[in-house]
């Protein structure tokens, strides 16, 4: 590949490149891709209004088409940080207004593009805040394909649209997972549960592990505790963090038998249409949550492996 900075006077941004990542990557076959370190875009999903699309100005790459607010990543910047930063620069997306649900990565070897799919948690009106946009609109899902879409987004949209209907969540048998590692948890069950819950905040799970499309998912976690662990501290979550993924932990304290509470939580989430992954190594409980409708049942070791891989 070849890295080519914008030509002199190219109207990319008012003051030209502002970061080493603002450059074209040119493939040996001649195709150009913006972003020396790759690029990312934000697919913001509003439950009432649809998705936020940007009508690209005529002079931009594939000008005149509709696509996602986004752009070149900075060196060392994560895709989620970059997508939200670009959406703030181009569409005025406010802090703490979106919560990432999953990512989908197009990796061409010489260049990659990450779509960050995020749910709107605080409704907002987009604002044209740089010259790359002709318009910014909330477009209903069933109207997106009728727009002249940016080719990259147009190719990805059918798969992304299908995944927007998927809502994975994880229900954790806390006692079983805590007890899977002999680290002295029996001396302080509440403390051990608190530490595990803190680890689970912002849980990221590979799409292959969930048998879903996309690349990484951030499912919400129901952390079911019983007995002495009910005295655990609340997970340490900074709700003002605009970039905290959706995989935040809610603690469910069992009033009686922990297994019954886990089954009830699985049933509740299945009834809401969620794709539920139950985590326990208890054989009898595994059978019960499967019967309750869990899409997958994973072991305590599986969850520990996901956490260790971070």
């Amino acid at each position: 590949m070849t890295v080519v900075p914008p030509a002199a006077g190219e109207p990319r941004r008012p003051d030209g490149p502002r970061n080493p990542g603002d450059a074209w990557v040119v493939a040996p076959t001649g195709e150009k891709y913006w972003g020396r370190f790759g690029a990312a875009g934000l697919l913001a999903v509003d439950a009432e209004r649809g998705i936020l699309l940007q009508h690209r100005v005529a002079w931009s790459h594939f000008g005149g088409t509709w696509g996602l607010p986004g752009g070149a990543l900075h060196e060392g910047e994560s895709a989620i940080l970059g997508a939200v930063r670009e959406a703030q620069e181009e569409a005025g997306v406010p802090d703490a207004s979106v919560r990432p649900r999953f990512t989908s990565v197009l990796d061409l070897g010489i260049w990659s593009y990450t779509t960050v799919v995020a749910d709107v948690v605080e409704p907002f009106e987009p604002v044209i805040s740089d010259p790359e946009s002709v318009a910014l609109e909330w477009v209903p899902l069933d109207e997106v394909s009728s727009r002249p879409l940016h080719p990259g987004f147009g190719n990805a949209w059918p798969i992304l649209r299908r995944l927007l209907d998927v809502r994975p969540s994880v229900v954790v048998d806390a006692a079983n997972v805590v007890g899977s590692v002999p680290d002295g948890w029996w001396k302080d069950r509440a403390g051990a549960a608190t530490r595990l819950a803190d680890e689970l905040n912002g849980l990221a799970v590979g799409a292959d592990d969930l048998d879903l499309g996309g690349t990484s998912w951030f499912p919400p976690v129901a952390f079911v505790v019983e007995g002495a662990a009910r005295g655990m501290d609340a997970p340490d979550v900074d709700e003002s963090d605009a970039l905290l993924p959706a995989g935040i932990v809610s603690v469910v304290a069992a009033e009686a038998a922990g297994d019954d509470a886990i089954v009830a939580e699985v049933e509740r989430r299945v009834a809401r249409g969620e794709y539920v992954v139950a985590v326990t190594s208890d054989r009898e409980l595994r059978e019960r949550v499967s019967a309750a409708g869990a899409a997958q049942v994973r072991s305590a070791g599986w969850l520990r492996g996901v956490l260790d891989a971070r």
Side-chain angles (χ1 to χ4, degrees):
M1 71 174 184
T2 304
V3 175
V4 180
E10 181 178 352
R12 171 71 189 169
R13 291 262 171 90
D15 300 317
R18 297 175 299 175
N19 184 273
D22 289 337
W24 293 105
V25 174
V26 183
T29 50
E31 292 92 347
K32 293 170 62 178
Y33 305 99
W34 181 251
R36 180 180 182 184
F37 308 114
L42 180 71
L43 197 165
V45 185
D46 185 294
E48 301 296 328
R49 296 180 290 177
I51 66 172
L52 179 61
L53 290 185
Q54 173 194 58
H55 193 189
R56 301 168 64 82
V57 70
W59 52 255
S60 66
H61 202 215
F62 294 110
T65 62
W66 291 80
L68 304 178
L73 296 176
H74 293 177
E75 186 172 12
E77 184 178 47
S78 74
I80 289 179
L81 283 170
V84 173
R85 173 185 54 75
E86 285 283 336
Q88 291 180 328
E89 292 175 3
E90 296 183 359
V93 175
D95 285 342
S97 62
V98 297
R99 192 79 72 191
R101 193 198 316 178
F102 71 92
T103 62
S104 179
V105 180
L106 171 67
D107 190 347
L108 301 180
I110 61 168
W111 180 84
S112 66
Y113 184 91
T114 301
T115 302
V116 177
V117 178
D119 294 304
V120 173
V121 294
E122 290 291 340
F124 64 92
E125 293 301 329
V127 177
I128 296 177
S129 48
D130 88 353
E132 293 182 48
S133 302
V134 174
L136 295 163
E137 290 184 23
W138 291 104
V139 180
L141 298 184
D142 59 2
E143 296 180 14
V144 172
S145 59
S146 66
R147 304 286 177 109
L149 300 178
H150 181 286
F153 178 60
N155 290 335
W157 174 241
I159 294 176
L160 294 171
R161 173 65 186 89
R162 176 177 58 81
L163 293 177
L164 291 183
D165 292 331
V166 181
R167 291 277 181 177
S169 62
V170 178
V171 177
V172 177
D173 178 356
N176 187 262
V177 177
V178 167
S180 66
V181 177
D183 58 0
W185 56 264
W186 51 89
K187 300 175 184 176
D188 180 9
R189 294 172 189 265
T194 298
R195 289 191 296 274
L196 177 58
D198 286 342
E199 283 188 78
L200 288 170
N201 269 319
L203 178 68
V205 184
D208 290 344
D209 269 334
L210 295 175
D211 294 333
L212 297 175
T215 302
S216 294
W217 289 77
F218 312 103
V221 178
F223 192 71
V224 185
V225 295
E226 61 182 328
R230 294 178 59 184
M232 65 176 287
D233 295 332
D236 185 13
V237 180
D238 180 4
E239 291 289 357
S240 67
D241 185 353
L243 304 179
L244 182 69
I248 58 178
V249 173
S250 57
V251 176
V252 179
E255 295 182 0
D259 287 6
D260 292 344
I262 292 164
V263 173
E265 185 66 18
V266 169
E267 291 175 337
R268 186 177 72 86
R269 290 174 176 269
V270 169
R272 292 196 317 205
E274 297 180 16
Y275 180 96
V276 179
V277 179
V279 179
T280 183
S281 293
D282 182 277
R283 181 176 301 177
E284 180 180 349
L285 182 55
R286 290 171 69 89
E287 294 176 356
R288 291 183 64 189
V289 293
S290 293
Q296 292 187 34
V297 184
R298 296 288 192 168
S299 68
W302 171 83
L303 184 58
R304 290 287 190 182
V306 170
L307 293 174
D308 290 344
R310 280 174 147 182

